[in-house]
Amino acid sequence: MLGELFKVDNFSAFVGTFAAFFTVLIAVYSFGFMRGQKGLARYYLYIALTLISSLGAIFANNLVVFVVFWGFLGFLLYLLIEFGNKERTSATARKSLIIVGGTDAFMLLGVALIWLINGSFQMDELAITLDNKFAILAYLLLAIGAFAKAGAMPFHTWIPDMAEDAPTPVTAFLPASLDKLLGIYFLGRISLDIFQMNDAMNMFLMGVGSFTIVAAVMMALVQHDLKRLLGYHAVSQVGYMVLGIGTGNPLGIAGGIFHMLNHAIYKSCLFLSGGAVEKKAGTTDLEKLGGLVKVMPITFITFLIGSLAISGVPPFNGFASKWMIYQGIIELGKNGGGWWIVWLMAAMFGSALTLASFMKLVHAIFLGQPSNERAIAGNKKQEVGITMLFPAVLLAVFCIIFGVFAYAVPLTMFIFPSLNEGVAFDGVWNSGIATTLILLAIVLGAIIYFLGRMAKTRRTESFVGGEFLEKNADMRLSGVEFYNTIQDVGILKFIYRLAGKKLFDIYEVGGKIASGFTATLRFLHNGVLPTYLVWCLLGMLAIFYVVFK
Amino acid sequence: MSDILYLIIYGFVVTALVGFLASWFERKITARLQYRVGPPLLQPVYDIVKLLGKETLVPFGVSKATFLSAPLLGLASVALVSTLLWVNTLNPGKTFIGDLVVVLYLLTIPSMSMMIGGFASRNPLASLGASREMKLILSYELPFLLAVFVPVIKGGFSIKLGELLSFQAQNGVFGGGASGVLAFVVAILCVQAKIGFVPFDVAEAETEISGGLLIEYSGSSLAIFKVMKNMLLCTLPLFLIVIFFGGLRFDGINALYSLLKYIGILFLIIVIKNTNPRVRIDHAVRFFWGPVMVLAILAVVLAFKGL
């Protein structure tokens, strides 16, 4: 019986291992971050339950069992967000529950349709071709569930809100790592095993992916809050994974799944480093930070490595998986058609936009001048405790290892065994030699330094055209205003204004439509006697008309 | 072991020498155009030697490690990408280190290292310059990518540099067709911005924000940035030659053609530099996202039509 409900294969074993790995890291981190908060016993209970439900969903072989565990996760997410102590925390928790839980209902409908088509809930027995309306509808309904969990557009809006309002470890735990693993795992399952994809559906996936990459990163570019900005990136990166799976060739799919793993690593690293800044400085408002590099040097290094990895700078891990996805896309070009160049441009330009928003973050938090409102005065070194440093450092080390030894470690050990087909690269990337040479080149450059009078550096005032920085407190760029130029270019100005009004937020729009209905009903029942009499009269006239016409 | 030799010989020595010569050539032509005599041949070298002899200043409150390692990162990445390009050009059969995508990503690191250095300076003018550099990258990146993928479309969807080169050896250079010419025009404008030459020198803008992201650099650290920028004068034209004009060969008469290709591209860059005033950053963004983008899309469409 149990054998029918659960099944372990290479793919689920790999995703399950990393789900457990991230849970342990987050639990360790929470010892430091959540210290002194109320209800910690409940907090750790929820974390443990989340892991159990995730493992249940990952190893489930029966779609009903899967949906049950998946549903638990949405509820646990709600409970965990409630540990935040911001003003809007409850509203955000409700929003997340409604989006994630609401899409669970779609999934249930999809599972019912699968029963209608095949009469089976066994995932390993299904191989449905997308040749009739029901099959396509069933795939879309299940994909919506995966999109909402992973945060692809347009079901993403709970992630930036939650990133801002929930406790940082919770954000690093769910939307940044576990929910990505689960959402993309399920998308991979339905696209690779349960359904037989066709070109049109792949096209749909790639469209969603490309749009998600660019739109979310454009929103990230203009954010003022550290955690909210990272939240938008958690959305944008999903685009790469969906795009990779949508290419439909082994190289792109392997790249998409590899990117899922890499994303979980560097995004958790970024959130955990950001959480350390929040813990010390007491705020995540970019206007109120700055110049923390000397105060928190280790956090700066972990954050910088995470930033370089997410921006796809070689030889870090983000580059390795993006490079595979690009090859998967270019592979499509060989079959004719011109859409691949659109997907490729979206993915590669998205990468430049990602670099831009992380340059802004690195400047606003660690480099640049400190804000006058910064909570930590001076430059004295004060790092967070070891329980908060260790997970971030470990993840940063993983960013390097999974990039430099991409082929030997993650690809050979986890990714390739998960796929049924063999993967052959089209391009060339010898990360080992490249890293050796770049290190050597840095050493050679350092020799040039020592040819000069590098050993004797002298400290001076900075030169600002003859003015003195100390006397002019307002002579400071926080970094928040960096991309205002971009924001004002042509049609972007219009789009940003609409986005500011939350016109692209499915929750807000859905809410408006729902309250439109209730407003109509409220108009009918306004409690004024003459109105009711008019309704009675109108009703009577209608009946008379029908009866006596 | 041979990889290390490649790095030292091609990555540093050859690239830097060509870069210094190119820098002298650029300054000499600029001077002649302005009715000045211009510097002697070794002037770029004298500049570096002079800077190495000066003391290195670090502003108060700045992280010395970040501030001083940023130039090294930039130099190392240019050396690596130059090695990659040289080795692949001279032996198209050898697949060395990386492909076209790797080159594109490595070419962003020099700008990135200058930005990190600028940010680390703790100076509002440097921050301003660095933010302009980033906006400039965002503006030219999209047309640049489109232009660079025109050869990929025409060359049978391979991103290996060696295969692009051998395709050109058999079927004529990509820069020969209509789409290739358009793509090359787009790419050279973007290269102008990548080098940071007028009219796209907004990030440094000496007369406006006094050096921008380099404002706090002095002595050896400035010398390294200068070497890096000189090396880019060799690397970026080389990249254009590889993807649009069939690479470089040094056997017999081909050596002369190779020289002409390089000097031609360098000359174009210098002419653009000397005939234009500096643009404002928002104008640069509009320029690259507007007319240049249209040209790039046209080039891609023509390439799909096989022209």
Side-chain angles (χ1 to χ4, degrees):
Chain A
M1 183 63 196
L2 208 61
E4 283 173 22
L5 296 183
F6 296 99
K7 186 186 168 193
V8 182
D9 63 7
N10 284 332
F11 192 14
S12 55
F14 140 63
V15 177
T17 312
F18 277 94
F21 169 73
F22 284 111
T23 312
V24 172
L25 276 192
I26 300 297
V28 171
Y29 185 84
S30 300
F31 280 129
F33 190 90
M34 300 294 283
R35 180 172 294 151
Q37 290 232 12
K38 275 184 290 184
L40 277 187
R42 272 192 305 127
Y43 174 80
Y44 288 109
L45 178 68
Y46 295 156
I47 296 263
L49 284 176
T50 305
L51 176 64
I52 293 169
S53 315
S54 310
L55 292 179
I58 290 167
F59 292 116
N61 190 31
N62 182 301
L63 280 169
V64 177
V65 174
F66 175 82
V67 171
V68 169
F69 279 116
W70 189 272
F72 273 135
L73 282 170
F75 186 58
L76 285 165
L77 171 74
Y78 171 79
L79 291 174
L80 279 169
I81 296 176
E82 288 281 9
F83 279 92
N85 44 18
K86 295 272 171 66
E87 222 170 274
R88 294 192 303 126
T89 297
S90 315
T92 304
R94 205 165 55 237
K95 180 173 178 176
S96 309
L97 183 66
I98 287 174
I99 293 180
V100 173
T103 49
D104 285 355
F106 285 121
M107 286 178 74
L108 214 53
L109 206 60
V111 171
L113 278 176
I114 287 184
W115 174 260
L116 196 71
I117 298 166
N118 256 37
S120 168
F121 286 133
Q122 291 301 105
M123 284 159 93
D124 54 356
E125 287 170 8
L126 294 167
I128 302 167
T129 45
L130 288 169
D131 52 5
N132 60 54
K133 269 184 233 150
F134 283 131
I136 293 173
L137 188 63
Y139 178 82
L140 287 178
L141 288 171
L142 292 178
I144 283 176
F147 285 166
K149 187 69 93 186
M153 283 188 170
F155 304 98
H156 66 286
T157 49
W158 60 281
I159 292 182
D161 283 1
M162 149 170 194
E164 198 174 353
D165 297 331
T168 313
V170 173
T171 318
F173 183 46
L174 283 163
S177 46
L178 243 57
D179 279 353
K180 288 286 176 298
L181 290 175
L182 279 163
I184 299 301
Y185 165 75
F186 187 58
L187 188 68
R189 267 279 178 248
I190 57 174
S191 310
L192 306 179
D193 296 341
I194 298 181
F195 290 89
Q196 313 261 303
M197 297 293 280
N198 57 20
D199 285 348
M201 199 50 89
N202 277 334
M203 194 80 163
F204 166 73
L205 281 188
M206 286 190 285
V208 170
S210 306
F211 181 73
T212 303
I213 294 174
V214 176
V217 79
M218 290 299 264
M219 286 306 293
L221 216 50
V222 297
Q223 298 305 317
H224 294 202
D225 183 274
L226 159 63
K227 293 203 287 179
R228 196 174 175 82
L229 199 158
L230 288 177
Y232 271 108
H233 278 291
V235 176
S236 156
Q237 297 292 315
V238 180
Y240 286 97
M241 306 165 206
V242 176
L243 187 57
I245 291 177
T247 57
N249 51 46
L251 196 51
I253 293 169
I257 293 171
F258 188 23
H259 202 71
M260 160 190 90
L261 175 60
N262 288 339
H263 172 269
I265 293 171
Y266 56 62
K267 186 49 65 60
S268 309
C269 175
L270 287 166
F271 267 117
L272 298 185
S273 311
V277 171
E278 184 189 6
K279 187 84 179 167
K280 277 287 159 196
T283 178
T284 51
D285 187 346
L286 295 178
E287 294 270 15
K288 295 179 184 160
L289 296 163
L292 283 175
V293 56
K294 292 197 111 177
V295 183
M296 310 175 84
I298 299 175
T299 308
F300 167 65
I301 290 170
T302 56
F303 194 89
L304 187 66
I305 289 177
S307 306
L308 297 180
I310 196 175
S311 314
V313 173
F316 296 100
N317 60 354
F319 176 73
S321 46
K322 280 182 185 172
W323 174 74
M324 286 169 68
I325 295 170
Y326 298 158
Q327 286 174 57
I329 300 172
I330 294 169
E331 186 85 22
L332 293 175
K334 291 177 183 163
N335 309 330
W339 278 101
W340 65 275
I341 193 99
V342 179
W343 316 139
L344 186 68
M345 287 304 124
M348 292 188 85
F349 187 55
S351 177
L353 288 165
T354 308
L355 178 69
S357 61
F358 276 94
M359 282 291 125
K360 164 178 161 177
L361 268 190
V362 167
H363 175 264
I365 304 169
F366 294 103
L367 303 173
Q369 298 150 263
S371 163
N372 294 327
E373 299 167 69
R374 200 180 81 183
I376 316 165
N379 273 335
K380 211 169 150 295
K381 191 177 155 191
Q382 35 179 319
E383 283 282 2
V384 285
I386 183 81
T387 51
M388 288 176 72
L389 269 187
F390 171 72
V393 171
L394 187 69
L395 289 170
V397 170
F398 269 60
C399 284
I400 298 173
I401 293 177
F402 279 25
V404 177
F405 305 107
Y407 192 79
V409 183
L411 286 175
T412 315
M413 285 168 72
F414 306 116
I415 312 292
F416 291 157
S418 308
L419 294 167
N420 306 326
E421 300 164 85
V423 178
F425 294 123
D426 277 346
V428 194
W429 171 229
N430 296 325
S431 48
I433 301 178
T435 315
T436 319
L437 289 187
I438 209 159
L439 288 177
L440 190 75
I442 288 179
V443 172
L444 287 174
I447 293 174
I448 304 184
Y449 254 147
F450 285 103
L451 286 179
R453 294 175 52 195
M454 180 28 216
K456 278 178 257 155
T457 55
R458 185 159 64 84
R459 294 276 182 175
T460 52
E461 292 290 342
S462 35
F463 173 77
V464 197
E467 299 283 344
F468 289 98
L469 280 182
E470 287 73 34
K471 291 181 192 159
N472 297 284
D474 56 337
M475 268 192 348
R476 168 178 180 268
L477 283 182
S478 67
V480 171
E481 61 287 83
F482 272 4
Y483 303 120
N484 289 356
T485 326
I486 305 273
Q487 218 174 332
D488 286 340
V489 172
I491 190 162
L492 286 182
K493 193 172 182 177
F494 178 66
I495 296 175
Y496 273 119
R497 213 170 50 224
L498 290 186
K501 289 184 191 158
K502 300 205 166 186
L503 218 65
F504 304 124
D505 186 335
I506 204 163
Y507 176 77
E508 301 284 337
V509 174
K512 288 225 173 71
I513 294 172
S515 55
F517 276 121
T518 49
T520 323
L521 294 176
R522 202 180 300 136
F523 174 69
L524 295 181
H525 295 273
N526 57 0
V528 180
L529 193 59
T531 321
Y532 288 130
L533 283 177
V534 170
W535 289 130
C536 289
L537 214 62
L538 284 176
M540 209 165 72
L541 281 176
I543 290 170
F544 282 166
Y545 177 76
V546 172
V547 174
F548 297 112
K549 79 174 168 178
Chain B
M1 195 59 210
S2 62
D3 299 337
I4 295 174
L5 277 181
Y6 284 144
L7 176 77
I8 294 171
I9 295 173
Y10 293 123
F12 278 102
V13 177
V14 175
T15 311
L17 280 182
V18 176
F20 283 142
L21 271 176
S23 169
W24 167 79
F25 185 66
E26 180 264 310
R27 287 162 72 172
K28 188 81 181 172
I29 300 239
T30 307
R32 296 307 299 158
L33 286 172
Q34 298 167 347
Y35 298 102
R36 289 187 284 118
V37 181
L41 183 63
L42 286 178
Q43 189 61 44
V45 183
Y46 297 152
D47 287 351
I48 303 298
V49 172
K50 179 203 73 178
L51 280 175
L52 286 176
K54 301 222 165 193
E55 69 178 341
T56 303
L57 303 178
V58 181
F60 286 119
V62 162
S63 158
K64 206 164 142 182
T66 319
F67 183 75
L68 292 180
S69 57
L72 289 182
L73 179 67
L75 183 77
S77 64
V78 179
L80 181 67
V81 73
S82 311
T83 317
L84 199 169
L85 286 171
W86 278 114
V87 173
N88 279 305
T89 314
L90 300 177
N91 316 299
K94 189 178 162 85
T95 47
F96 186 67
I97 295 184
D99 50 38
L100 187 62
V101 177
V102 175
V103 173
L104 286 172
Y105 270 79
L106 286 176
L107 281 178
T108 317
I109 303 185
S111 305
M112 197 187 78
S113 72
M114 283 178 62
M115 277 188 279
I116 291 180
F119 287 156
S121 308
R122 243 177 121 141
N123 184 320
L125 294 180
S127 298
L128 192 65
S131 81
R132 288 178 178 184
E133 175 80 26
M134 191 65 236
K135 282 181 276 196
L136 198 59
I137 294 180
L138 289 185
S139 59
Y140 68 66
E141 192 71 4
L142 201 50
F144 188 59
L145 288 173
L146 278 173
V148 164
F149 275 94
V150 164
V152 175
I153 295 169
K154 294 185 78 180
F157 302 100
S158 174
I159 50 171
K160 284 183 187 153
L161 294 174
E163 286 180 11
L164 286 177
L165 284 171
S166 47
F167 187 92
Q168 293 184 79
Q170 285 163 15
N171 305 316
V173 295
F174 296 129
S179 61
V181 171
L182 277 183
F184 174 70
V185 169
V186 172
I188 201 156
L189 286 170
C190 299
V191 160
Q192 193 87 9
K194 255 191 190 308
I195 302 179
F197 268 178
V198 184
F200 306 114
D201 64 335
V202 274
E204 289 174 41
E206 287 83 357
T207 47
E208 180 194 350
I209 49 174
S210 32
L213 32 65
L214 294 181
I215 189 169
E216 293 295 345
Y217 278 96
S218 58
S220 315
S221 51
L222 185 61
I224 296 212
F225 268 140
K226 292 273 177 205
V227 174
M228 181 191 96
K229 296 202 111 191
N230 286 343
M231 281 164 71
L232 276 179
L233 273 182
C234 167
T235 311
L236 289 170
L238 179 61
F239 176 58
L240 293 184
I241 292 172
V242 168
I243 59 168
F244 289 112
F245 296 110
L248 298 178
R249 282 171 61 197
F250 292 101
D251 44 334
I253 188 75
N254 284 322
L256 181 68
Y257 289 147
S258 300
L259 193 67
L260 283 180
K261 284 177 199 170
Y262 178 68
I263 291 186
I265 290 182
L266 195 61
F267 193 72
L268 264 178
I269 293 175
I270 296 169
V271 168
I272 298 174
K273 180 185 174 189
N274 278 299
T275 46
N276 286 285
R278 177 164 66 239
V279 294
R280 237 167 50 195
I281 181 67
D282 54 331
H283 292 166
V285 175
R286 286 200 173 86
F287 175 68
F288 279 113
W289 286 5
V292 179
M293 194 62 198
V294 172
L295 273 187
I297 291 173
L298 200 63
V300 168
V301 171
L302 285 177
F304 274 123
K305 301 258 179 223
L307 288 167

